[in-house]
Amino acid sequence: MQTDFMSQTPDQTQNEPLSDDALRQLNAKVTEVFRSLAIDKRRLPASQLNKRGIPAYVAEWVLESVVPGQGELTQDETTKVLDWAARVIPGPSEQHIIKHKLAQGQTVKVLTPLQAEIQLKKGKEPQRLAQLRLLGISDAYISDALLEEQPDLLRQGMWGVVELGALKDGVAILSFKPMQASVNLPLFKEARRKFTLYEWRAILLTTLGFDPSAFSDEQQTWLLCRLLPLVQKNMHMLELAPKGTGKSFTYENISPKVRLVSGGNISRAVLFVNNANGTWGLLARFKVVVLDEIQTSKFTNPEEIVGGLKGYLANGKLTAGGLHESASDCGFVMLANITLDDQQRPVKASLVEELPEFLRETAFLDRIKALLPGWELPKLSSKLLVGTASPLTVGLKSDFFGDALIALRDDLSSEAYADQAVRLGGEKPYRRNEESVRAIAAGLMKIQFPHGEVANQDFYKYCLRPAIQLRQGIWDELYALDGEYRQYESKITQAKK
């Protein structure tokens, strides 16, 4: 998608916190620079599409398809969106109504995730089957042509508008209109040059649905750190926080290539591979897998899962019983609640004490690169989200933004910069500490400086220092739990030049 950018590049040294007036003026600039890729984030809550159970990256695509435009939704636009949603977005109680319509020979259009698989059985013709989980349909017919046109249907699946029709022996996919996100990474980087660092950070937070004026500079950094698994391959993180801080909010609304698992049984077959049928699990099919509420999740054969995870987190290899082996660059994120005192500080001396015992093994924790201190963030409320009182309301469309972040995974210029800039202090720095700090710093550089232009002091303040803090959280736990790690320095520091 071609966009004409403003010709004037801001002075990158003018990175000062923005006043509310400056944030209001930034609305026009974001719209001018990003044009059709920008959206007023107030449109989504006003549309009430979030109440239909669809993530933000889908809902914003619906808004652009049904009522394209800028600014807040008008009453007529809201009515039009709600009418469209009533016709096309099925509720949980409408499965059998849709199936009844199909049985009557009607065609039905629904907005739903669609995933396909190929079944190969000896002596039989290959079967191409589509799954529509929201409709309770697991064996719809789908054409070769559609699978060739949309190969992601065979990977993690896709959201889109599906037209269904009934055949004599089942249901068929007649047509599919997928979400379209066009990412031109060079243009995305060029757009970054038009903003100061503080402007860019404000735009990113607004894109995620947060009001940047409601957070301190450090809190903004912690919120942006949740994006690290999208921009960095094999970025494995743990976030600990009390209930209600919105730990899963970003992940469930950022991209269809991010899979949030909340509740239910977690097994080796779900994560790695199902040995019974050879189907690869979530870590093979998605870019980021997030396990929510792990302190109460049910793990089937937990020792077996942790054994597999230790190998995967260390080298990116997926194995299952010696029968299957593959490589993956999927990021792995664990979210858990912890108890705080009346000063909003963790009660337990060990931050991981409230995790299941098998997840506290130091050989496993060591392979987690970062511990995000979610207790430093306020509990999520309407005052923290983009609303009518927010000074900055225009951000990037979620589907475009998520794809842009994932595209940055293959841009290794930030890794090269971090390799040169990051040297840990001490007589013998621990290798995994150094690798983790470099990976985190490189990821934060991609998020905040995707164009690759960063002053030394900004790299230290906004990339390296938080990277050290995130790894230090893991290192403190290892240092306290296992004497093996006490042969190294207790504090991670940057080497003096």
Side-chain angles (χ1 to χ4, degrees):
M1 184 175 296
Q2 299 295 321
T3 304
D4 295 327
F5 295 104
M6 295 166 60
S7 59
Q8 184 179 359
T9 300
D11 181 357
Q12 292 297 319
T13 63
Q14 296 177 357
N15 287 327
E16 299 178 356
L18 302 175
S19 65
D20 283 359
D21 285 342
L23 287 170
R24 291 187 186 94
Q25 293 171 12
L26 188 55
N27 284 303
K29 186 175 178 181
V30 177
T31 303
E32 183 177 356
V33 172
F34 283 101
R35 304 278 180 94
S36 61
L37 298 175
I39 188 170
D40 192 314
K41 293 291 174 171
R42 294 172 296 181
R43 294 173 72 83
L44 178 54
S47 72
Q48 300 183 45
L49 286 172
N50 53 334
K51 296 180 180 179
R52 305 289 300 196
I54 59 176
Y57 58 82
V58 176
E60 289 181 357
W61 174 75
V62 169
L63 289 172
E64 186 62 20
S65 300
V66 179
V67 286
Q70 298 293 331
E72 294 187 73
L73 283 183
T74 65
Q75 185 59 51
D76 288 344
E77 287 176 326
T78 301
T79 300
K80 187 175 181 180
V81 169
L82 292 176
D83 288 345
W84 186 92
R87 295 194 310 272
V88 183
I89 303 177
S93 62
E94 296 176 84
Q95 283 189 15
H96 295 294
I97 294 176
I98 290 173
K99 291 177 180 178
H100 173 69
K101 290 180 178 179
L102 291 170
Q104 296 297 312
Q106 300 180 43
T107 59
V108 179
K109 284 187 177 182
V110 292
L111 176 67
T112 181
L114 177 65
Q115 187 167 357
E117 64 176 28
I118 308 296
Q119 291 188 356
L120 301 176
K121 295 183 179 180
K122 189 175 181 179
K124 294 185 178 181
E125 289 290 324
Q127 284 191 298
R128 300 157 187 83
L129 301 178
Q131 300 175 1
L132 300 97
R133 295 189 305 274
L134 296 185
L135 302 181
I137 296 173
S138 60
D139 57 355
Y141 292 100
I142 189 168
S143 68
D144 271 342
L146 181 52
L147 295 179
E148 288 289 332
E149 183 181 345
Q150 305 292 345
D152 276 350
L153 289 172
L154 292 166
R155 297 187 180 108
Q156 70 276 350
M158 302 173 70
W159 274 88
V161 176
V162 182
E163 185 178 16
L164 296 169
L167 303 176
K168 289 183 179 179
D169 54 351
V171 177
I173 308 296
L174 303 180
S175 68
F176 177 61
K177 181 183 178 183
M179 288 174 46
Q180 298 290 332
S182 177
V183 176
N184 185 321
L185 201 53
L187 287 180
F188 180 74
K189 293 178 178 180
E190 182 64 25
R192 167 63 182 88
R193 291 189 172 92
K194 312 307 173 186
F195 301 95
T196 67
L197 174 59
Y198 277 93
E199 288 176 335
W200 185 251
R201 283 161 59 92
I203 293 167
L204 297 183
L205 291 168
T206 302
T207 297
L208 295 175
F210 296 108
D211 181 349
S213 65
F215 297 91
S216 68
D217 200 46
E218 184 177 59
Q219 289 172 339
Q220 289 186 7
T221 297
W222 297 143
L223 289 172
L224 294 177
C225 283
R226 289 174 175 165
L227 302 177
L228 283 167
L230 281 89
V231 300
Q232 286 293 78
K233 297 178 180 180
N234 297 109
M235 175 57 68
H236 313 308
M237 295 172 49
L238 169 65
E239 180 174 354
L240 302 177
K243 298 177 181 178
T245 51
K247 294 184 293 297
S248 60
F249 178 76
T250 294
Y251 298 114
E252 63 189 350
N253 288 296
I254 189 70
S255 169
K257 296 177 182 177
V258 175
R259 178 64 180 270
L260 178 71
V261 181
S262 185
N265 291 326
I266 300 170
S267 66
R268 186 165 184 138
V270 168
L271 291 177
F272 298 100
V273 63
N274 188 328
N275 281 336
N277 56 25
T279 301
W280 285 105
L282 301 179
L283 291 171
R285 296 187 288 112
F286 288 85
K287 295 299 183 184
V288 182
V289 169
V290 183
L291 302 187
D292 194 15
E293 306 281 359
I294 61 169
Q295 77 283 349
T296 57
S297 295
K298 295 180 180 179
F299 292 83
T300 304
N301 296 323
E303 291 77 13
E304 182 182 64
I305 291 175
V306 168
L309 280 173
K310 283 194 292 188
Y312 173 69
L313 300 182
N315 55 36
K317 294 290 181 65
L318 295 169
T319 59
L323 300 177
H324 306 276
E325 181 173 321
S326 184
S328 172
D329 61 14
C330 179
F332 180 69
V333 180
M334 297 184 295
L335 309 177
N337 295 331
I338 58 171
T339 306
L340 302 184
D341 60 22
D342 56 4
Q343 300 299 314
Q344 299 304 297
R345 307 303 300 174
V347 170
K348 306 292 185 180
S350 172
L351 294 175
V352 299
E353 187 173 333
E354 296 179 67
L355 300 185
E357 185 176 357
F358 63 92
L359 294 178
R360 287 180 260 154
E361 182 185 346
T362 54
F364 170 72
L365 287 174
D366 195 2
R367 290 160 167 81
I368 302 296
K369 289 183 168 65
L371 192 158
L372 186 57
W375 62 87
E376 300 283 359
L377 294 168
K379 287 185 177 291
L380 201 61
S381 71
S382 59
K383 293 181 180 180
L384 302 179
L385 303 177
V386 176
T388 55
S390 302
L392 178 61
T393 62
V394 179
L396 307 182
K397 290 178 179 174
S398 295
D399 59 339
F400 163 76
F401 181 56
D403 280 359
L405 293 175
I406 290 172
L408 286 168
R409 284 174 155 230
D410 294 318
D411 184 350
L412 302 182
S413 57
S414 295
E415 274 81 358
Y417 187 99
D419 285 347
Q420 293 294 319
V422 178
R423 292 287 185 276
L424 297 190
E427 293 184 6
K428 52 174 186 177
Y430 185 56
R431 178 179 60 84
R432 281 201 176 121
N433 285 349
E434 197 156 51
E435 290 174 349
S436 297
V437 170
R438 285 176 178 164
I440 297 166
L444 287 170
M445 183 174 169
K446 289 180 183 181
I447 293 167
Q448 299 171 98
F449 308 94
H451 56 322
E453 298 172 7
V454 56
N456 289 338
Q457 64 269 27
D458 284 341
F459 179 80
Y460 174 77
K461 181 177 180 180
Y462 293 100
C463 302
L464 179 54
R465 189 167 69 183
I468 290 174
Q469 290 176 274
L470 290 177
R471 180 59 187 179
Q472 185 72 57
I474 293 292
W475 188 240
D476 287 344
E477 297 303 311
L478 297 175
Y479 212 83
L481 293 171
D482 194 334
E484 177 186 346
Y485 295 97
R486 296 182 200 131
Q487 61 182 298
Y488 304 96
E489 286 80 3
S490 62
K491 295 298 180 184
I492 303 173
T493 59
Q494 166 74 337
K496 297 180 180 179
K497 295 183 179 179

